[in-house]
Amino acid sequence: MRSFFPAESCKETHPNALNPQSWLQIERGKLPKLSSYPSSASIESLVKVPQPAVRPFYKPADYVEVLAQIHEELESCPPQERSNLFLLQYQVFRGLGEVKLMRRSLQGAWQKANTVHEKIIFGAWLKYEKQEEELIADLLANCGKCAKEFAPVDIASHLPFDVNVSSVGRMTNENCISQNVTFTIGDEEIVCDRQKISELSAPFNAMLKGYFSESRAETIDLSENNISPFGMKAISIFSLTGGLIEVPPNLLLEILAFANKYCCERLKDACDRRLASLVSSKEDAVELMEYALDENSTVLAASCLQVLLRDLPNCLNDSRVVEIFVHANKQQLAVMVGPGIFALFCFLSEVSMNLNSSSDKTVHILERLVEFAENDKQRILALHQLGCVRLLRKEYDEARLLFEGAVNAGHIYSVAGLARLDFIKGDKFLSYELLSSVISSVTPLGWMYQERSLYCDSDKRWDDLEKASNLDPTLAYPYMYRAASLMSTQNAQAALAEINRILGFKLSLECLEIRFFTHLTLEDYKAALCDVQTILTLRSDYRMFEGRVAASQLCTLVREHVERWTTADCWARLYDCWSAVDDIGSLSVIYQMLESDAAKGILYFRQSLLLLRLNCPEAAMRSLQLAQQHASSEHERLVYEGWILYDTGHYEEGLQKAEESISIKRSFEAFFLKAYALADSSVDPSCSPIVISLLEDALKCPSDNLRKGQALNNLGSVYVDCGKLDLAADCYINALKIRHTRAHHGLARVHCLKNDKAAAYMEMTELIKKAKNNASAYEKRSEYCDREQAKADLEMVTRLDPLRVYPYRYRAAVLMDNHKEEEAIAELSRAIAFKADLHLLHLRAAFHEHKEDVLGALRDCRAALSVDPNHQEMLELHNRVNRHEP
């Protein structure tokens, strides 16, 4: 997805506004050759790769060390500090792009919240992060289960009234005092019980039962005390009954101010709680928050805060809401949010940057974040984020001060901001030297070379970008730059090979856009259409040419030069792509089919399966929800709801939906869902016969070969687990007969279990030949050959998909076996630098333990437990190492 922080170069003005039809004309047949156009209108000249943005993230030079420190502090810190530590952990994972781990850290902050205010903030934050998943809460409610993070907090129960505050010391002068006292307000007289009123507060006790003149008076004038007769009558009733039943809101506000003035804590608390119970909308919250802050009403303020935060991002579009947050002083914020001020502005700043990162509103919120940062790491985050916003707004002097502050506090990544500012001033050499100094002073990371490349000449830039890719292959800019450079030299085939390197393991919209233009250069319009349809699948509002042209418009233009497919053609093409393990090609076909009158539910469901394979879980969930919305029947809808629940960790509820669907109609998908959920969520071997029966039932129901091949493959896996190898082989062979290519993998496993590694190797070789995406096939084949061939296969895996961790672990283990301990640790460190992976950290911790490097082992154990705090083997290693800590 495009960053919400556009790079500076994205905002360049172009003398010639782009008109796609000047180079892509709508006509039947082929597009005219690009050489017939002036060079200024060629595709190569139109493709520009913007500089990578300086991201507003906390990116420590050694994230493992920071995660380890956080885990160590979490083990020993007082309860009130835990939520902020989980918040810092969230920021570290955010800088690494680890979405699942970010969410889990937020969940930890919510679970360990020490105050109701923190509970409100992190609960609202989780709701905001999962705003596209609110359907899940509804589905769970239908199953009789509540998703707690979506539920509002019962604030009143978390803020009990302190009875000690309400105790009133009695005066001793009770001579000649009447039982009642009459308060006059204008022409009205309100008769009250003197004793009961005196018990409301110390001032009233002194007034009515002390040594003042009023103490013996039977009538006291309260006309100048901003209380109406109706208000005083309500107070009199409260003094007798302790309740404020059926008192209207405007009168409650009047009584609240009066109670505050006369220190009537019990009365004030009753007003506070009664008003808080009435807050149900943004309008209520905006109106009542001012009163809550003026009168120090904590329950009312917290209730208003909860309503506002749960309405994010919408409420930040209301200037009145923004005013509340950016103009409240420290004392008012303490009433509103207790000790959670930094967490509040951290949350608000993220929402505001997502809405409009360069707005005044974002600046004001980030200024508050800086103001309320309490330690170096919080200051780093706040200063760096505000620096990024100032840079985007071209407020360069302010940005420099902020980046310098972050660097001085220890945030090396903020040097990237300083380098950009030097370059903007025209001092390219200073920018280069600044990054060179960083590279020479610490263990270099990929982003450092990427940043320095921006200030190099072409040859040096290429070298730096190669180093960046070697250190961090997840960075998209180096591939995009190299591909665009190759296109500019008319070497489109080489450009295509370069951009395919990253698209083989990371589906990036910007990289798909580059490949789209490369295919146009090669006049491969089918491939270009495939890319733009995939882009639109991932993001329907995507714009190309630096945001100037809608991708949907280019899709329409390119489609005119590709032969139209019938529905039968589409199914045949989908079958071919699915069999070739061409997931992007399959997505493109489904996009085209969705534009027809075909049943959309099943197509969106297939789309979600492909997106999961491509590691796009959020897009997959959107497609699954669209499948649910477009289901053609009740039993079909229940299946999709079951998958939604299952994919979000609600296994029992997913099974329940499958059973409901089966009770309506026996269908392939309902049986498949039930079998899958049962097999994947149960470790009880006795479940295997049930799973086998369910898959057999599924195969008896009507379906297409794409899904039946998957069912046969799954059935084979269950048979293998049961030791029924011949039955498993039959399943895999039958799956291959209907071109379920992945069944080669299962059949190879059967051969291996029968001690025929040569046959297993050949089986995986067949899969490698057939599959377009075959990194996993190379990885699996490495298990069925000698060490040298295994090393070659795993090197190929790392080239095809550097995010797969097994090759690094294998190579490190081989090095360790050969007593090359430092090289083994370096191999693991190479991957850990860009991927926070439990298994890599676990193995490196074990290597450190073997070397008797207790501190190194302990650091990796703690970082690994930040990734998965419940991993049993990791916990055991941590405990063992911890006993030897010096």
Side-chain angles (χ1 to χ4, degrees), residues 100 103 129-137 139 537-538 604-613 615-629 640-650:
K100 286 184 179 179
R103 292 233 181 131
E129 288 288 330
K130 299 182 178 183
Q131 54 191 308
E132 292 187 353
E133 298 178 18
E134 291 195 348
L135 170 64
I136 298 163
L139 294 178
T537 297
L538 293 169
Y604 279 122
F605 177 59
R606 301 291 173 85
Q607 190 180 77
S608 74
L609 297 175
L610 292 164
L611 289 166
L612 278 177
R613 284 186 196 165
N615 196 28
C616 301
E618 292 179 359
M621 182 54 67
R622 286 197 299 272
S623 294
L624 202 45
Q625 292 182 5
L626 286 168
Q628 186 253 5
Q629 293 168 22
Y640 302 145
E641 289 178 355
W643 280 114
I644 290 169
L645 291 165
Y646 178 81
D647 286 346
T648 51
H650 303 288

Side-chain angles (χ1 to χ4, degrees), residues 482-527:
R482 289 189 292 261
S485 297
L486 290 165
M487 283 180 67
S488 69
T489 60
Q490 308 296 314
N491 196 347
Q493 287 290 356
L496 187 61
E498 178 61 35
I499 206 66
N500 279 339
R501 284 175 60 194
I502 186 169
L503 286 172
F505 65 90
K506 183 179 180 181
L507 199 56
S508 157
L509 288 168
E510 290 88 347
C511 293
L512 280 169
E513 182 178 343
I514 292 283
R515 192 169 76 174
F516 167 77
F517 293 127
T518 308
H519 282 137
L520 286 184
T521 302
L522 294 168
E523 299 184 8
D524 186 347
Y525 305 119
K526 285 183 181 179

Side-chain angles (χ1 to χ4, degrees), residues 88-103:
L88 177 60
Q89 189 185 79
Y90 166 86
Q91 298 295 347
V92 175
F93 287 135
R94 188 177 179 216
L96 292 167
E98 296 284 355
V99 176
K100 286 184 179 179
L101 298 179
M102 286 163 56
R103 292 233 181 131

Side-chain angles (χ1 to χ4, degrees), residues 358-377:
S358 60
S359 67
D360 291 342
K361 169 177 60 188
T362 299
V363 171
H364 295 324
I365 291 171
L366 283 170
E367 285 174 340
R368 310 278 354 232
L369 189 67
V370 172
E371 179 184 351
F372 293 108
E374 296 177 348
N375 55 52
D376 279 348
K377 289 185 173 65

